[in-house]
Amino acid sequence: MKPMMRLLRPDRAARALGRRWCVVVLVFFGVAAVARPAVGQGPGEPPPRLVIFSVPGLTWEASSEADLRALNDLFAESAIADLAPRSVISRSGPGEAYLTISAGSRAATEELVEGQVLAAMEGGQLTPAGEVFVRRTGVEPDGKFVTIGWPQLLRVNDAQPYDAVPGLLAETLRGHGVGTAVVANADGNDSSVTSYQRQAGLGLADIDGVVASGALDTNLLSPDATRPFGFRLDHEAVVDAFTAEWDAPPSTDRRVVMVEASDLARTLRYRPLVDEERYDELLAEALADTDALFGQLMNHIDLDRDAVMVLAPYGETAVTTLTVAALYRPGIDPGYLRSASTQRAGIVTLVDVAPTVLDTVGIARPIEMEGREFEVSPSDASLGERRDHLISVDAASKFRTQLLFPTTIVLVLVLAGVAAFAAVVIAGKWSDRARRAVQFAALANLAGLPMSYVARGFPLEELGIAFYWVFLVLSSLVVALAATVLTRRTGRVLAGLVSVLVLMVVVLVADVMSGSNLHMSAAFGYSPTGNSRLYGISNYSFGQLAAATSLLAAFIAAAWPTKRGRIAALALMGLALVVLGVPIWGSDVGGVLAFTPTILVVAGMLYHYRLRLRSLVVGGLITVAVVTVFGLADLARPPGERAHLGRLFERIGNEGLQPLLSIMQRKLLANLRVSTSSFWVAAVPIGIVFYVLLMRLPDRPLTRLRGSIPTLSAGLVAAVVAAVLGSLVNDSGAIVGGVTVLVVTASLAYMVVDRRLAPDDGPPAAQAEEPVEEPLREAVEEPVEEPV
């Protein structure tokens, strides 16, 4: 036992070096924890008027290719960003998009009625729309336009776990004396049936479904047989309707007017009916008309006083893409937009639009709104440089969809091969060469996880999918080879495995602490089109971090079987918890909820505490306390910098427990959906079958392995706890468990085939249960003259 444990434990020089590095790490954590990113501030005096120019489907790539002089002139003086047009779904249509704007929270829609925003005397030959609206709602409208299907829209959103209040934006504006109006009409159908497509009216409808003023009727349209559905906007009529609202006396009165480039909306709907070449022609015409219309509107806007917001609230429903967002306010510097929702300069979300509208005209955001106002990060870059950056972000987000599923399949299938090969080698008493092959494959399998993040250091969307796979395969093999060489040269059995697990932890932690740049659009990171949170440890990363630190803690405690060793093991896991919970690194509430009990389990097993009901209660209270500490720390930061945990505490303080219950319901629904669709779930049965085989094979290889590494059980149990809790409390469901199982299973395969850790001629299973504390202690205390 002594020679084998000598291979596991650190020598005195290594321990001294480790203590020095612990001090450095703790100092770094302390400095980073109080650091705050610099964010530019807007002018103090809010402009009295804001025009929102909606350009459905417009992307930064399209804006760079088309000759949009009027729009580009404004973009050059504005703060700009990629807009993630997400609502309750990742590919919002017009109904979801405008309702999300109206609520400041993710909203759903009913497609059959979403476009029926009609003038009170409009509708059918028998019954005017106003009468139908009164009959359905019991509300006498006090505006020009009514949403016929408003009760259905409310019912759809009441069934969603997002607590959206459709109409909250317009209601708040009206409550502060700000006038609202909408000018838009995207009607059109190639059949004789009337098709109302006036979803833009939903953006500034009040909580009763009434649009106060503007123009939404067919007077804005001109017949044109060459255009989608035979109509185009009459620019003169649109400008007249806009100026009637914009310049209405008193001219200094506060108001918000939304104008939709409805020709773009019609063109998007027409795409399925034409070929690609014809669609490109129609889109080019619509973009040219849109820019001309915007130029005409700008003639009536005083840029020394007024604010302008340009955004594409939704894109093509067949493509998940980022769209245009820009904000001009007198006194702000050009640059990028960011928000507390994304924590990233150059990316904002649809739920942030309503709070930004209110902030622009000097009104505080209602607590019911999920989003946060845009902030400006000034930049000296030119419009072309900023636009190229936003185009690259969109391209990377799209490219990530090509990485996630194939990379998952490859890693899970390799895991299945490693587990099967390991089981055959153990059962068949194969040669040492076969055993080393299993270890090498297991190391390469593990290395594939961190190297998938490192790959994001390259512009993959430019280099292509072939480069990604060449890099991922070769780098994983190189890491496995380096780890194998390290094992041979040091003579330490676990050196290779430990080095790969350390690499996994270092890549994840270093990236999160430096801004999560490698996580962005990585296969197992997150992307603006696929995730609502774009910072901190992702759910995929949590599974890796939890499993790796649990195993490393077990190895530390085994190699250093003293009080200091146990403290060092728990300190490693504690540092991982800090990374999960500190606000500037993401405040991963699900990770904290899952990992805090994991640490307590390791502590209990290392200190030989018996599991009792009281232990569970105390563990639950400690977990709640830890989450509360991180939440209060986040809440103490400025509102514009709070992560989602601080924003949740803010809402709980104002609204009670309902926001928490809604989030729990939302996560449960997402959990069930993902758990039945992700291929990561396949890793779970692979791990279970492999574990059972290790327990059932005649020579009990897992029992022998536990005899060699007495604290291994603590690491394995901790990983299982992290997998189960992480799968329950995160919205990625069994993905967390699948990733955790891959790390644990590949690690077990590496260890169990090594005769030095689970010798074939070792003691029988009955003797493996004997205490091993004394030999371990002697092995640590015995001086070793080995170089570091």
Side-chain angles (χ1 to χ4, degrees):
M1 182 66 69
K2 290 183 182 180
M4 183 159 50
M5 292 311 302
R6 193 175 295 124
L7 297 175
L8 293 174
R9 67 177 179 80
D11 55 28
R12 293 178 179 176
R15 291 200 299 271
L17 180 63
R19 286 193 293 269
R20 289 194 293 270
W21 273 107
C22 284
V23 173
V24 173
V25 169
L26 288 174
V27 170
F28 179 78
F29 270 80
V31 172
V34 298
R36 290 178 177 172
V39 178
Q41 300 298 320
E45 186 67 25
R49 300 185 300 184
L50 167 67
V51 58
I52 305 171
F53 192 59
S54 175
V55 283
L58 182 62
T59 64
W60 288 112
E61 183 176 12
S63 76
S64 67
E65 296 173 351
D67 184 16
L68 306 179
R69 297 183 181 180
L71 284 166
N72 286 332
D73 285 345
L74 182 81
F75 293 155
E77 302 299 323
S78 304
I80 63 176
D82 277 319
L83 174 67
R86 295 174 55 88
S87 55
V88 297
I89 56 178
S90 59
R91 302 179 183 181
S92 300
E96 294 100 344
Y98 286 114
L99 272 176
T100 296
I101 291 175
S102 80
S105 300
R106 283 170 279 187
T109 189
E110 173 55 63
E111 291 186 11
L112 294 177
V113 300
E114 65 182 20
Q116 297 176 2
V117 187
L118 311 178
M121 297 306 297
E122 192 179 3
Q125 297 179 352
L126 299 178
T127 308
E131 292 185 21
V132 176
F133 179 79
V134 173
R135 186 160 56 241
R136 293 184 180 183
T137 65
V139 175
E140 190 68 38
D142 56 357
K144 293 178 62 175
F145 302 93
V146 294
T147 308
I148 299 298
W150 194 251
Q152 292 162 269
L153 297 177
L154 294 180
R155 186 162 53 248
V156 168
N157 282 281
D158 286 342
Q160 297 290 331
Y162 294 97
D163 297 329
V165 183
L168 183 59
L169 172 59
E171 193 73 16
T172 305
L173 289 169
R174 185 173 67 177
H176 287 79
V178 179
T180 60
V182 181
V183 180
N185 187 303
D187 289 356
N189 196 335
D190 271 349
S191 71
S192 58
V193 179
T194 301
S195 175
Y196 297 112
Q197 301 291 334
R198 306 175 188 179
Q199 292 90 340
L202 299 175
L204 289 177
D206 63 19
I207 59 174
D208 293 323
V210 177
V211 180
S213 190
L216 294 168
D217 50 33
T218 56
N219 292 333
L220 297 178
L221 302 180
S222 291
D224 188 335
T226 66
R227 296 303 183 89
F229 304 112
F231 292 104
R232 64 175 176 79
L233 282 178
D234 183 334
H235 289 191
E236 184 177 350
V238 172
V239 172
D240 288 345
F242 170 73
T243 55
E245 301 293 341
W246 191 251
D247 297 327
S251 59
T252 57
D253 192 20
R254 294 190 298 169
R255 63 197 63 200
V256 174
V257 180
M258 178 185 291
V259 180
E260 181 190 62
S262 300
D263 287 335
L264 285 174
R266 262 185 295 275
T267 303
L268 290 180
R269 295 208 323 275
Y270 210 64
R271 181 165 194 170
L273 305 179
V274 295
D275 60 29
E276 194 69 25
E277 182 178 356
R278 179 55 181 157
Y279 175 76
D280 290 341
E281 294 173 355
L282 294 172
L283 180 60
E285 291 176 343
L287 286 172
D289 284 352
T290 295
D291 189 62
L293 175 61
F294 183 71
Q296 291 177 267
L297 296 177
M298 290 299 292
N299 291 331
H300 300 272
I301 297 171
D302 183 359
L303 292 181
D304 291 330
R305 182 183 68 165
D306 301 328
V308 182
M309 179 186 294
V310 179
L311 60 94
Y314 63 96
E316 298 176 12
T317 55
V319 181
T320 302
T321 188
L322 302 175
T323 56
V324 162
L327 178 65
Y328 172 86
R329 285 182 60 177
I332 68 169
D333 295 324
Y336 294 102
L337 294 172
R338 71 182 296 277
S339 76
S341 300
T342 64
Q343 302 281 324
R344 288 185 179 275
I347 303 176
V348 294
T349 67
L350 199 58
V351 296
D352 301 324
V353 173
T356 304
V357 171
L358 296 174
D359 180 68
T360 301
V361 294
I363 300 174
R365 170 190 56 83
I367 58 176
E368 294 86 356
M369 286 187 176
E370 173 188 357
R372 295 297 185 270
E373 60 274 7
F374 296 164
E375 297 172 346
V376 177
S377 295
S379 172
D380 294 330
S382 67
L383 172 61
E385 293 170 332
R386 288 182 287 144
R387 183 164 52 195
D388 288 345
H389 169 68
L390 299 180
I391 291 173
S392 69
V393 171
D394 183 32
S397 179
K398 292 176 182 176
F399 192 79
R400 190 242 185 181
T401 61
Q402 303 179 46
L403 305 181
L404 178 57
F405 185 62
T407 309
T408 299
I409 289 180
V410 169
L411 291 180
V412 173
L413 292 181
V414 171
L415 174 69
V418 168
F421 192 14
V424 171
V425 167
I426 296 169
K429 310 293 184 183
W430 285 35
S431 66
D432 287 342
R433 178 175 296 180
R435 295 171 183 268
R436 289 194 294 270
V438 171
Q439 291 184 312
F440 185 86
L443 292 176
N445 194 204
L446 289 170
L449 289 169
M451 298 316 294
S452 69
Y453 296 90
V454 175
R456 254 295 152 208
F458 300 91
L460 298 179
E461 56 279 359
E462 299 176 11
L463 298 173
I465 193 72
F467 173 85
Y468 169 76
W469 282 111
V470 170
F471 175 84
L472 183 62
V473 172
L474 290 182
S475 61
S476 299
L477 294 177
V478 168
V479 170
L481 179 61
T484 301
V485 172
L486 179 65
T487 300
R488 292 179 181 177
R489 293 204 172 177
T490 61
R492 301 181 185 276
V493 181
L494 293 180
L497 176 60
V498 168
S499 65
V500 176
L501 294 178
V502 168
L503 173 67
M504 188 179 298
V505 172
V506 168
V507 168
L508 296 176
V509 171
D511 182 50
V512 169
M513 293 173 64
S514 60
S516 301
N517 296 311
L518 295 180
H519 272 73
M520 192 65 177
S521 296
F524 303 129
Y526 29 63
S527 68
T529 54
N531 304 94
S532 57
R533 183 167 65 92
L534 303 177
Y535 50 89
I537 291 286
S538 71
N539 291 336
Y540 297 94
S541 303
F542 171 77
Q544 301 170 51
L545 183 65
T549 53
S550 296
L551 292 175
L552 289 173
F555 297 154
I556 291 172
W560 197 358
T562 63
K563 180 180 179 181
R564 290 183 178 181
R566 292 191 290 268
I567 292 175
L570 295 176
L572 172 66
M573 302 187 75
L575 291 178
L577 181 64
V578 170
V579 173
L580 289 169
V582 166
I584 63 169
W585 297 326
S587 281
D588 181 10
V589 59
V592 174
L593 285 172
F595 202 62
T596 303
T598 302
I599 297 176
L600 296 177
V601 166
V602 172
M605 296 187 70
L606 291 182
Y607 285 93
H608 307 292
Y609 288 120
R610 295 179 58 186
L611 181 62
R612 301 173 181 174
L613 178 59
R614 183 177 63 183
S615 305
L616 297 177
V617 173
V618 172
L621 293 175
I622 293 175
T623 301
V624 172
V626 171
V627 173
T628 302
V629 169
F630 285 129
L632 292 176
D634 197 7
L635 191 62
R637 302 201 300 164
E641 298 178 15
R642 289 173 188 160
H644 64 293
L645 181 57
R647 300 202 303 271
L648 173 61
F649 272 48
E650 177 186 341
R651 292 192 62 191
I652 291 176
N654 291 309
E655 304 174 53
L657 292 178
Q658 182 57 42
L660 177 61
L661 297 177
S662 296
I663 289 177
M664 292 173 62
Q665 180 185 359
R666 187 164 71 236
K667 285 184 176 292
L668 177 61
L669 294 175
N671 195 312
L672 294 175
R673 182 177 65 252
V674 173
S675 295
T676 56
S677 60
S678 174
F679 194 73
W680 271 112
V681 179
V684 177
I686 293 173
I688 294 175
V689 170
F690 185 65
Y691 183 86
V692 171
L693 284 175
L694 296 183
M695 292 294 294
R696 296 285 184 175
L697 287 174
D699 58 350
R700 302 292 192 271
L702 186 57
T703 302
R704 296 176 183 273
L705 185 60
R706 286 171 171 167
S708 299
I709 309 175
T711 57
L712 179 62
S713 293
L716 295 178
V717 172
V720 170
V721 171
V724 173
L725 293 181
S727 298
L728 291 176
V729 301
N730 285 300
D731 52 10
S732 292
I735 288 177
V736 177
V739 175
T740 307
V741 167
L742 183 145
V743 176
V744 172
T745 303
S747 299
L748 282 176
Y750 176 93
M751 292 184 287
V752 81
V753 298
D754 198 308
R755 288 195 176 100
R756 292 169 293 179
L757 290 175
D760 295 335
D761 55 351
Q767 296 179 8
E769 304 294 333
E770 296 179 0
V772 292
E773 291 292 333
E774 287 304 320
L776 286 175
R777 187 174 297 111
E778 292 174 5
V780 171
E781 294 174 354
E782 183 183 39
V784 179
E785 299 298 327
E786 292 183 358
V788 179

